[in-house]
DNA sequence: CGCTGTCATGATAGCGCTACCATTACTTCT
DNA sequence: AGAAGTAATGGTAGCGCTATCATGACAGCG
């Protein structure tokens, strides 16, 4: 009784906040029963549940999830850590995750590392401090401190985007294979002098993996694999500018294999402005399968990666794990699809 | 002593978790002093702070933010509620918010309503349960329950995207004026038979506001303001399809005023495929100022809205408010810029 | 020399909730 | 009939941290 009394001198309570005890009192049950009525509805009788819910409604009770999490050390928070929000690729994965997780009553803590692994470590620390139920990171690369923290935190870790030796769960695709796939296609089309253009590989190291796949194919045929690395983010603008650079440095180029569709589309549109014919004067290929590529003329040849699906699948796997079901696979290869357009 | 002992039969602690008490003990100070060393560094002596930080490092202590928030009823969490993650417009606002808030040590709780106000209410409830420091919502429209909750929660509310009678803080732009601005431009160019094309106005009601601005200008000149509302989300695809519909239903159309750049660019690219000349056969205008519009030929006439800036400004205002500074403006008009391209 | 003020630190008592165990009233089984 | 469940409820004791007040030490002051 005195516990609930606001006259208590030591009380720090915000008096306007309705607590579960007040709900319980109004419903004529103990606080713990009220708690059960809300969180384990099957553990109380129908009539009790009814009257508790009615009191909740009447008093405008909003559960204090902070207190609940502290008491139960479970939070229903999922941390999502991505390196960028500008790159729509990550947003689409977030979309898939978010859609699935929110439907299951999880909330999303979003962090952006800006491609900085130290920043990632800080974010992981903070998110662990929120005792989030699981962490999702884009990519398999972490610094040592971060790796240690993740390995010992006791929560499920989901690494998305690429496929490889993950810490725990992993949903992604094989970027090296994707790079090879596209280059095989270009060679099938008869192109031999192919330049690979990427934006800042230190950031987008997955583009670097695709380049490795690309290079392996060319080397096997005894061909060169020149690389043009731009010092900007991938964008239409960067793609447009890179076209000029390629034509200047490698005038005999027959095809350009771009690290992503933004670059490729930018170059394609710039080629049009210049009066170059694609693919006759120069062939252009991208990666990602953005809608844009399918609406420009000529349609862009690209590789479609199932980004929202990746997010959805990752979320499903996590939920399965979190709900204690043992039926799950540690690793999922979501694959990719070569989408042959008119630009190659 | 016995409190920290894991032998205590009633203890529910996860034994692997390092607590502040352990850090304090290792540093030879009381828990409360250790807390101060971390959260109010200026309130402890240099030597104490040093030894606490060193113990934190050595023991690998990760602060339990849940416990901290419960005790202090402050969380450094900011809720961001948007209606969609597909629409890049919202993502850009999130980007601006996130960048500014993370730099100040705030974390982001992200929610997606899918244009459903009831869902928004649920998200607000949940986020308030996390006693987040502030809430950001995209838009001024809420249902009654949500409005009541927000009004009484005692936390700063920031409504972004549009300008109007907000609940608390408001950063946005005048969509009606933006609609008028573009239509004035079209009329200046000599177009009179102008169709407005939008995607699902019940969702994107801001597009509806722009249409109102558009209509007002035309009505004032005694001109008709036909509206074509699509039953899809705004996308390149929808824009491409809408072109055919406009040409069929309104064959004499001189210009199309699209609700956003995705639609406009889709239509422009589709017009090219059809061999129509833009703007000679038909003029096309958009809204948003997406990079895409500046890379296609002809360049798209559009209205540039400062989306990341909107996010940044909103975050700055919130931070100012949260840190108790009284210097803030309740409302900011971030304005917009008519970007005249080659498509009109 | 006491008086007041500031600084660094500590003891206490919660924040609002739930895990854990206990209790009671029934039902079912042998 | 008594043992052995099962279902519904409650009491107690924290979860790990911080607000509040209290304490002691020491400086400055007339």
């Amino acid at each position: 009784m005195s516990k609930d009394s606001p006259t208590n001198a030591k009380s720090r309570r915000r008096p306007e906040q309705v607590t579960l005890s007040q709900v319980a009192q109004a419903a004529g049950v103990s606080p713990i029963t009220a708690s059960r009525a809300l969180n384990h509805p099957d553990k109380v009788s129908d009539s009790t549940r009814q009257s508790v819910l009615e009191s909740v409604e009447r008093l405008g009770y909003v559960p204090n999830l902070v207190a609940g999490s502290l008491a139960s050390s479970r939070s229903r928070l999922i941390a999502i850590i991505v390196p960028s929000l500008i790159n729509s690729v990550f947003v689409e994965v977030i979309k898939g995750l978010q859609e699935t997780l929110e439907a299951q009553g999880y909330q999303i803590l979003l962090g952006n590392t800006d491609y900085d692994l130290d920043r990632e470590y800080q974010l992981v620390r903070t998110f662990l401090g929120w005792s989030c139920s699981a962490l999702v990171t884009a990519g398999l690369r972490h610094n040592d401190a971060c790796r240690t923290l993740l390995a010992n935190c006791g929560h499920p870790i989901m690494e998305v985007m690429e496929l490889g030796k993950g810490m725990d769960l992993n949903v992604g695709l094989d970027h090296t294979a994707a790079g090879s796939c596209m280059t095989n296609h270009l060679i099938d089309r008869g192109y031999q002098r192919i330049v690979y253009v990427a934006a800042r590989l230190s950031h987008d190291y997955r583009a670097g993996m695709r380049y490795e796949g690309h290079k392996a194919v060319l080397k096997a045929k005894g061909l060169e694999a020149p690389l043009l690395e731009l010092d900007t983010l991938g964008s239409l603008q960067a793609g447009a500018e890179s076209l000029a650079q390629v034509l200047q440095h490698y005038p005999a180029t027959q095809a350009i294999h771009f690290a992503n569709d933004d670059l490729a589309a930018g170059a394609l549109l710039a080629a049009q402005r210049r009066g170059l014919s694609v693919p006759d004067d120069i062939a252009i290929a991208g990666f990602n399968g953005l809608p844009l590529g399918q609406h420009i003329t000529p349609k862009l040849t690209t590789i479609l990666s199932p980004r929202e699906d990746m997010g959805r699948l990752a979320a499903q796997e996590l939920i399965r794990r979190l709900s204690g079901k043992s039926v799950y696979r540690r690793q999922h290869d979501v694959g990719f699809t070569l989408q042959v357009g008119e630009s190659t």
Side-chain angles (χ1 to χ4, degrees), chain A:
Chain A
M1 301 289 131
S2 76
K3 227 173 183 178
D4 293 341
S5 149
T7 58
N8 188 326
K10 279 268 189 174
S11 177
R12 287 185 247 144
R13 287 199 44 246
R14 285 176 299 170
E16 74 271 19
Q17 193 181 330
V18 181
T19 68
L20 187 59
S21 291
Q22 291 171 30
V23 171
Q25 199 168 7
V29 297
S30 72
I32 185 66
T33 300
S35 166
R36 270 192 284 252
L38 296 176
N39 300 317
H40 307 281
D42 52 316
K43 300 239 175 190
V44 297
S45 68
D46 287 0
S47 62
T48 305
R49 179 157 14 90
Q50 287 275 301
S51 76
V52 169
L53 289 178
E54 193 254 320
S55 298
V56 164
E57 194 64 34
R58 188 154 45 81
L59 299 178
Y61 170 68
V62 176
N64 185 326
L65 301 175
V66 179
S69 296
L70 180 59
S72 66
S73 54
R74 276 180 288 96
S75 73
R76 297 191 84 75
L77 285 176
I78 309 268
I80 302 181
I81 300 178
V82 295
S84 163
L85 288 174
I86 303 179
N87 192 329
S88 67
V89 168
F90 299 110
V91 177
E92 290 174 74
V93 177
I94 293 173
K95 175 76 175 53
L97 283 161
Q98 180 266 9
E99 166 186 318
T100 312
L101 292 173
E102 265 186 27
Q104 298 290 321
Y106 289 92
Q107 297 316 127
I108 285 171
L109 268 172
L110 181 66
N112 176 349
T113 70
D114 265 319
Y115 295 99
D116 177 349
L117 293 183
D118 293 336
R119 179 95 193 96
E120 181 188 49
Y121 168 66
Q122 290 301 336
L123 284 170
V124 168
R125 252 177 75 95
T126 307
F127 291 157
L128 287 178
W130 280 108
S131 57
C132 54
S133 308
L135 284 106
V136 182
T137 70
L140 296 164
R141 297 199 182 170
H142 317 287
N143 67 26
D144 290 344
C146 186
R147 197 171 286 279
T148 309
L149 210 52
L150 289 173
N152 300 322
C153 72
H155 300 292
I157 310 297
M158 169 63 80
E159 292 164 289
V160 294
M161 304 303 289
E162 75 207 73
L163 214 58
K165 205 162 119 300
M167 308 197 58
D168 184 9
L169 303 173
N170 179 213
V171 171
L173 58 94
D174 182 339
H175 286 263
T176 313
S180 299
C181 170
M182 178 58 81
T183 304
N184 276 320
H185 161 76
L186 293 173
I187 287 179
D188 285 353
R189 279 284 202 259
Y191 306 109
Q192 302 227 322
R193 289 185 300 281
I194 310 173
V195 178
Y196 191 90
V197 176
R200 223 176 280 177
L201 290 177
S202 59
H203 283 186
D204 188 1
Y205 65 84
R206 279 172 286 270
M209 297 165 81
R210 296 193 290 275
Y211 172 63
E212 292 305 321
H214 162 89
K215 188 164 72 176
V217 169
L218 291 176
K219 288 277 137 110
K221 305 264 187 225
L223 297 168
E224 291 297 305
L227 168 68
L228 177 64
E229 184 179 352
L230 311 171
D231 190 31
T232 56
L233 293 171
S235 64
L236 291 169
Q237 185 62 38
E241 289 164 8
S242 74
L243 178 67
Q245 290 186 49
V246 169
L247 295 176
Q248 188 191 335
H249 290 62
Y250 308 98
T253 300
Q254 298 169 317
I256 312 180
H257 183 172
F258 283 95
N260 62 54
D261 279 2
D262 290 293
L263 291 171
L268 200 156
L269 294 167
Q272 288 182 338
R273 289 228 161 208
R274 280 173 168 247
L276 287 174
S277 160
V278 176
D280 298 335
D281 295 327
I282 191 144
I284 288 177
F287 176 84
N288 271 341
L290 296 189
L292 170 59
Q294 304 316 299
H295 285 270
I296 53 184
T297 310
K299 285 185 185 156
L300 185 64
T301 293
T302 186
I303 282 180
L304 189 63
S305 62
R307 298 177 293 281
E308 277 196 43
D309 284 345
M310 198 149 48
R312 267 191 288 271
L313 186 56
Q316 284 161 9
E317 244 357 296
L318 270 183
I319 288 166
R320 213 173 300 170
R321 166 72 86 87
L322 287 170
S323 55
K325 300 207 191 101
S326 58
V327 203
Y328 65 88
R329 283 169 51 201
R330 282 190 112 71
Q331 189 171 63
H332 284 268
D333 184 351
V334 295
F336 54 83
T337 315
L338 176 66
Q339 207 162 44
V340 178
E342 305 151 348
S343 70
T344 48

